[in-house]
Short mmCIF file of all heavy atoms in Angstrom, two decimals:
data_model
loop_
_atom_site.label_atom_id
_atom_site.label_comp_id
_atom_site.label_asym_id
_atom_site.label_seq_id
_atom_site.Cartn_x
_atom_site.Cartn_y
_atom_site.Cartn_z
N TRP A 241 80.35 74.64 79.17
CA TRP A 241 81.66 75.27 79.39
C TRP A 241 81.89 76.39 78.39
O TRP A 241 82.33 77.49 78.75
CB TRP A 241 82.75 74.21 79.30
CG TRP A 241 84.14 74.77 79.28
CD1 TRP A 241 84.97 74.88 78.19
CD2 TRP A 241 84.87 75.31 80.39
NE1 TRP A 241 86.16 75.45 78.56
CE2 TRP A 241 86.14 75.72 79.90
CE3 TRP A 241 84.58 75.49 81.73
CZ2 TRP A 241 87.10 76.30 80.72
CZ3 TRP A 241 85.54 76.06 82.56
CH2 TRP A 241 86.78 76.46 82.06
N PHE A 250 82.84 86.32 81.83
CA PHE A 250 83.18 85.38 82.88
C PHE A 250 82.91 86.01 84.25
O PHE A 250 83.30 87.14 84.51
CB PHE A 250 84.66 84.98 82.78
CG PHE A 250 85.09 83.95 83.80
CD1 PHE A 250 84.80 82.62 83.61
CD2 PHE A 250 85.76 84.34 84.95
CE1 PHE A 250 85.18 81.66 84.55
CE2 PHE A 250 86.15 83.40 85.89
CZ PHE A 250 85.86 82.06 85.69
N GLY A 256 83.14 84.93 93.89
CA GLY A 256 84.26 84.01 93.87
C GLY A 256 83.84 82.56 93.86
O GLY A 256 84.42 81.73 93.16
N ALA A 259 82.76 81.57 90.36
CA ALA A 259 83.88 81.56 89.41
C ALA A 259 84.78 80.35 89.62
O ALA A 259 85.19 79.68 88.66
CB ALA A 259 84.67 82.85 89.53
N ILE A 260 85.11 80.05 90.89
CA ILE A 260 85.97 78.89 91.15
C ILE A 260 85.21 77.62 90.81
O ILE A 260 85.79 76.65 90.31
CB ILE A 260 86.45 78.89 92.61
CG1 ILE A 260 87.15 80.20 92.95
CG2 ILE A 260 87.43 77.74 92.85
CD1 ILE A 260 87.47 80.38 94.43
N GLY A 261 83.89 77.61 91.05
CA GLY A 261 83.09 76.46 90.65
C GLY A 261 83.16 76.21 89.16
O GLY A 261 83.25 75.06 88.71
N CYS A 262 83.14 77.28 88.37
CA CYS A 262 83.26 77.13 86.92
C CYS A 262 84.60 76.52 86.56
O CYS A 262 84.69 75.63 85.69
CB CYS A 262 83.08 78.49 86.25
SG CYS A 262 83.17 78.45 84.45
N VAL A 263 85.66 76.97 87.21
CA VAL A 263 86.99 76.41 86.97
C VAL A 263 87.01 74.92 87.29
O VAL A 263 87.55 74.11 86.52
CB VAL A 263 88.04 77.18 87.79
CG1 VAL A 263 89.38 76.45 87.79
CG2 VAL A 263 88.22 78.59 87.24
N VAL A 264 86.41 74.54 88.40
CA VAL A 264 86.35 73.12 88.77
C VAL A 264 85.60 72.33 87.69
O VAL A 264 86.01 71.23 87.31
CB VAL A 264 85.67 72.94 90.14
CG1 VAL A 264 85.42 71.47 90.43
CG2 VAL A 264 86.52 73.55 91.24
N LEU A 267 87.94 71.69 84.87
CA LEU A 267 88.96 70.68 85.20
C LEU A 267 88.37 69.28 85.16
O LEU A 267 89.02 68.33 84.70
CB LEU A 267 89.53 70.97 86.59
CG LEU A 267 90.33 72.27 86.74
CD1 LEU A 267 90.64 72.52 88.21
CD2 LEU A 267 91.62 72.21 85.91
N ARG A 282 91.48 72.14 80.14
CA ARG A 282 92.19 72.20 81.42
C ARG A 282 93.07 73.45 81.50
O ARG A 282 93.07 74.18 82.49
CB ARG A 282 93.04 70.95 81.60
CG ARG A 282 93.90 70.96 82.87
CD ARG A 282 94.87 69.79 82.90
NE ARG A 282 95.86 69.98 83.94
CZ ARG A 282 95.79 69.47 85.17
NH1 ARG A 282 94.75 68.74 85.52
NH2 ARG A 282 96.75 69.68 86.05
N ALA A 283 93.81 73.71 80.45
CA ALA A 283 94.68 74.89 80.43
C ALA A 283 93.88 76.17 80.54
O ALA A 283 94.27 77.12 81.23
CB ALA A 283 95.53 74.89 79.16
N ARG A 284 92.74 76.21 79.85
CA ARG A 284 91.88 77.39 79.90
C ARG A 284 91.33 77.59 81.31
O ARG A 284 91.26 78.72 81.80
CB ARG A 284 90.75 77.22 78.89
CG ARG A 284 89.68 78.30 78.92
CD ARG A 284 90.18 79.62 78.39
NE ARG A 284 89.07 80.56 78.19
CZ ARG A 284 89.15 81.86 78.37
NH1 ARG A 284 90.29 82.40 78.76
NH2 ARG A 284 88.11 82.63 78.15
N ALA A 285 90.94 76.50 81.97
CA ALA A 285 90.39 76.60 83.32
C ALA A 285 91.44 77.16 84.28
O ALA A 285 91.15 78.06 85.09
CB ALA A 285 89.91 75.22 83.79
N ILE A 286 92.66 76.68 84.21
CA ILE A 286 93.71 77.15 85.11
C ILE A 286 94.06 78.60 84.80
O ILE A 286 94.28 79.41 85.71
CB ILE A 286 94.95 76.23 85.01
CG1 ILE A 286 94.59 74.83 85.54
CG2 ILE A 286 96.13 76.81 85.78
CD1 ILE A 286 95.67 73.79 85.34
N ALA A 287 94.06 78.96 83.51
CA ALA A 287 94.35 80.35 83.14
C ALA A 287 93.26 81.28 83.63
O ALA A 287 93.54 82.40 84.10
CB ALA A 287 94.50 80.46 81.62
N LEU A 288 92.00 80.85 83.54
CA LEU A 288 90.91 81.68 84.06
C LEU A 288 91.07 81.90 85.55
O LEU A 288 90.84 83.01 86.06
CB LEU A 288 89.56 81.02 83.76
CG LEU A 288 89.04 81.15 82.33
CD1 LEU A 288 87.83 80.24 82.13
CD2 LEU A 288 88.65 82.60 82.02
N TYR A 289 91.47 80.84 86.26
CA TYR A 289 91.66 81.01 87.69
C TYR A 289 92.77 82.02 87.98
O TYR A 289 92.61 82.92 88.82
CB TYR A 289 91.99 79.67 88.37
CG TYR A 289 92.18 79.85 89.85
CD1 TYR A 289 91.10 80.01 90.69
CD2 TYR A 289 93.46 79.91 90.40
CE1 TYR A 289 91.26 80.22 92.05
CE2 TYR A 289 93.64 80.13 91.76
CZ TYR A 289 92.54 80.28 92.58
OH TYR A 289 92.72 80.52 93.92
N ALA A 290 93.88 81.88 87.28
CA ALA A 290 95.03 82.76 87.53
C ALA A 290 94.73 84.20 87.14
O ALA A 290 95.06 85.14 87.88
CB ALA A 290 96.26 82.23 86.78
N ASP A 291 94.09 84.38 85.98
CA ASP A 291 93.95 85.74 85.42
C ASP A 291 92.67 86.45 85.86
O ASP A 291 92.66 87.68 85.99
CB ASP A 291 93.96 85.66 83.89
CG ASP A 291 95.27 85.11 83.35
OD1 ASP A 291 96.28 85.16 84.08
OD2 ASP A 291 95.27 84.62 82.20
N LYS A 292 91.58 85.70 86.06
CA LYS A 292 90.29 86.33 86.35
C LYS A 292 89.89 86.25 87.83
O LYS A 292 89.00 86.98 88.26
CB LYS A 292 89.19 85.65 85.52
CG LYS A 292 89.36 85.80 84.01
CD LYS A 292 89.16 87.25 83.58
CE LYS A 292 89.13 87.36 82.06
NZ LYS A 292 88.93 88.77 81.62
N ILE A 293 90.52 85.36 88.58
CA ILE A 293 90.16 85.21 89.99
C ILE A 293 91.35 85.56 90.88
O ILE A 293 91.31 86.51 91.66
CB ILE A 293 89.68 83.78 90.29
CG1 ILE A 293 88.49 83.41 89.39
CG2 ILE A 293 89.28 83.64 91.77
CD1 ILE A 293 88.10 81.95 89.45
N ARG A 294 92.43 84.82 90.71
CA ARG A 294 93.58 85.02 91.62
C ARG A 294 94.18 86.42 91.48
O ARG A 294 94.56 87.03 92.48
CB ARG A 294 94.64 83.96 91.32
CG ARG A 294 95.71 83.86 92.38
CD ARG A 294 96.60 82.66 92.15
NE ARG A 294 97.29 82.28 93.37
CZ ARG A 294 98.51 82.64 93.68
NH1 ARG A 294 99.19 83.42 92.87
NH2 ARG A 294 99.08 82.25 94.81
N ALA A 295 94.26 86.93 90.27
CA ALA A 295 94.87 88.25 90.06
C ALA A 295 94.02 89.38 90.64
O ALA A 295 94.50 90.51 90.77
CB ALA A 295 95.09 88.48 88.57
N HIS A 296 92.76 89.08 90.98
CA HIS A 296 91.86 90.12 91.49
C HIS A 296 91.48 89.86 92.95
O HIS A 296 90.46 90.37 93.42
CB HIS A 296 90.61 90.19 90.62
CG HIS A 296 90.89 90.57 89.20
ND1 HIS A 296 91.08 91.86 88.80
CD2 HIS A 296 91.07 89.80 88.09
CE1 HIS A 296 91.34 91.89 87.49
NE2 HIS A 296 91.34 90.64 87.05
N ARG A 297 92.30 89.10 93.67
CA ARG A 297 92.00 88.84 95.08
C ARG A 297 91.99 90.14 95.87
O ARG A 297 92.66 91.11 95.52
CB ARG A 297 93.03 87.88 95.66
CG ARG A 297 92.87 86.44 95.17
CD ARG A 297 93.95 85.54 95.73
NE ARG A 297 95.28 85.98 95.30
CZ ARG A 297 96.42 85.47 95.77
NH1 ARG A 297 96.38 84.53 96.71
NH2 ARG A 297 97.57 85.90 95.32
N LEU A 304 95.04 87.58 101.20
CA LEU A 304 94.49 87.84 99.88
C LEU A 304 93.44 86.77 99.59
O LEU A 304 93.74 85.58 99.62
CB LEU A 304 95.59 87.81 98.81
CG LEU A 304 96.56 88.98 98.85
CD1 LEU A 304 97.69 88.78 97.84
CD2 LEU A 304 95.84 90.30 98.56
N LEU A 305 92.22 87.21 99.29
CA LEU A 305 91.07 86.31 99.22
C LEU A 305 90.34 86.46 97.90
O LEU A 305 90.28 87.55 97.33
CB LEU A 305 90.10 86.64 100.36
CG LEU A 305 90.73 86.72 101.76
CD1 LEU A 305 89.73 87.31 102.74
CD2 LEU A 305 91.17 85.34 102.22
N PRO A 306 89.74 85.37 97.42
CA PRO A 306 88.92 85.49 96.20
C PRO A 306 87.75 86.40 96.46
O PRO A 306 87.04 86.23 97.47
CB PRO A 306 88.47 84.05 95.92
CG PRO A 306 88.61 83.33 97.23
CD PRO A 306 89.74 83.99 97.95
N SER A 321 83.54 78.69 98.66
CA SER A 321 84.73 78.85 97.83
C SER A 321 85.84 77.91 98.29
O SER A 321 86.59 77.36 97.47
CB SER A 321 85.23 80.30 97.87
OG SER A 321 84.42 81.16 97.11
N PHE A 324 85.28 74.57 96.81
CA PHE A 324 85.67 74.52 95.40
C PHE A 324 87.19 74.46 95.25
O PHE A 324 87.71 73.76 94.36
CB PHE A 324 85.11 75.72 94.66
CG PHE A 324 83.64 75.62 94.34
CD1 PHE A 324 82.77 76.66 94.63
CD2 PHE A 324 83.12 74.49 93.73
CE1 PHE A 324 81.42 76.58 94.33
CE2 PHE A 324 81.76 74.39 93.44
CZ PHE A 324 80.91 75.43 93.73
N LEU A 325 87.93 75.17 96.09
CA LEU A 325 89.39 75.11 96.03
C LEU A 325 89.88 73.71 96.41
O LEU A 325 90.85 73.20 95.81
CB LEU A 325 90.01 76.16 96.95
CG LEU A 325 89.89 77.60 96.47
CD1 LEU A 325 90.28 78.58 97.57
CD2 LEU A 325 90.78 77.83 95.24
N ALA A 328 89.20 71.55 93.37
CA ALA A 328 90.13 71.90 92.30
C ALA A 328 91.48 71.25 92.53
O ALA A 328 92.13 70.75 91.60
CB ALA A 328 90.27 73.42 92.20
N GLU A 334 97.09 70.73 91.09
CA GLU A 334 97.84 71.98 90.94
C GLU A 334 97.99 72.66 92.30
O GLU A 334 97.00 72.92 92.99
CB GLU A 334 97.11 72.92 89.97
CG GLU A 334 97.07 72.44 88.54
CD GLU A 334 98.42 72.53 87.85
OE1 GLU A 334 99.27 73.34 88.31
OE2 GLU A 334 98.63 71.81 86.86
N GLU A 335 99.23 73.00 92.67
CA GLU A 335 99.51 73.56 93.99
C GLU A 335 98.89 74.94 94.20
O GLU A 335 98.68 75.36 95.33
CB GLU A 335 101.02 73.61 94.23
CG GLU A 335 101.61 72.29 94.66
CD GLU A 335 100.91 71.71 95.91
OE1 GLU A 335 100.91 72.39 96.96
OE2 GLU A 335 100.35 70.61 95.81
N ILE A 336 98.62 75.65 93.10
CA ILE A 336 98.04 76.99 93.25
C ILE A 336 96.73 76.93 94.02
O ILE A 336 96.43 77.81 94.84
CB ILE A 336 97.85 77.64 91.85
CG1 ILE A 336 97.48 79.12 92.00
CG2 ILE A 336 96.80 76.91 91.04
CD1 ILE A 336 97.45 79.84 90.66
N PHE A 337 95.94 75.86 93.81
CA PHE A 337 94.66 75.74 94.51
C PHE A 337 94.87 75.40 95.98
O PHE A 337 94.14 75.89 96.85
CB PHE A 337 93.79 74.69 93.83
CG PHE A 337 93.47 75.00 92.40
CD1 PHE A 337 93.91 74.18 91.37
CD2 PHE A 337 92.74 76.14 92.06
CE1 PHE A 337 93.62 74.47 90.05
CE2 PHE A 337 92.45 76.44 90.74
CZ PHE A 337 92.90 75.60 89.73
N ALA A 338 95.88 74.58 96.27
CA ALA A 338 96.17 74.25 97.66
C ALA A 338 96.70 75.47 98.41
O ALA A 338 96.31 75.73 99.55
CB ALA A 338 97.18 73.10 97.72
N GLU A 339 97.60 76.21 97.78
CA GLU A 339 98.17 77.39 98.43
C GLU A 339 97.09 78.43 98.74
O GLU A 339 97.05 78.99 99.85
CB GLU A 339 99.25 78.01 97.54
CG GLU A 339 100.48 77.14 97.37
CD GLU A 339 101.39 77.63 96.26
OE1 GLU A 339 101.07 78.69 95.67
OE2 GLU A 339 102.39 76.97 95.99
N ASP A 340 96.23 78.69 97.76
CA ASP A 340 95.18 79.70 97.98
C ASP A 340 94.13 79.19 98.96
O ASP A 340 93.56 79.98 99.74
CB ASP A 340 94.54 80.09 96.65
CG ASP A 340 95.49 80.87 95.76
OD1 ASP A 340 96.63 81.16 96.21
OD2 ASP A 340 95.11 81.18 94.63
N GLY A 341 93.87 77.89 98.95
CA GLY A 341 92.96 77.31 99.93
C GLY A 341 93.53 77.40 101.33
O GLY A 341 92.80 77.70 102.29
N LEU A 344 92.99 81.00 102.50
CA LEU A 344 91.59 81.25 102.86
C LEU A 344 91.23 80.51 104.14
O LEU A 344 90.51 81.04 105.00
CB LEU A 344 90.68 80.82 101.70
CG LEU A 344 89.17 80.94 101.92
CD1 LEU A 344 88.77 82.35 102.34
CD2 LEU A 344 88.41 80.52 100.66
#
Side-chain angles (χ1 to χ4, degrees):
W241 171 256
F250 183 79
I260 305 171
C262 182
V263 168
V264 172
L267 294 171
R282 176 189 167 95
R284 174 71 169 145
I286 294 173
L288 282 170
Y289 180 76
D291 298 339
K292 297 292 188 180
I293 303 170
R294 194 171 201 263
H296 298 279
R297 288 178 298 172
L304 289 174
L305 309 169
S321 285
F324 283 131
L325 287 169
E334 293 288 338
E335 279 305 301
I336 190 173
F337 300 117
E339 293 168 3
D340 291 357
L344 177 54

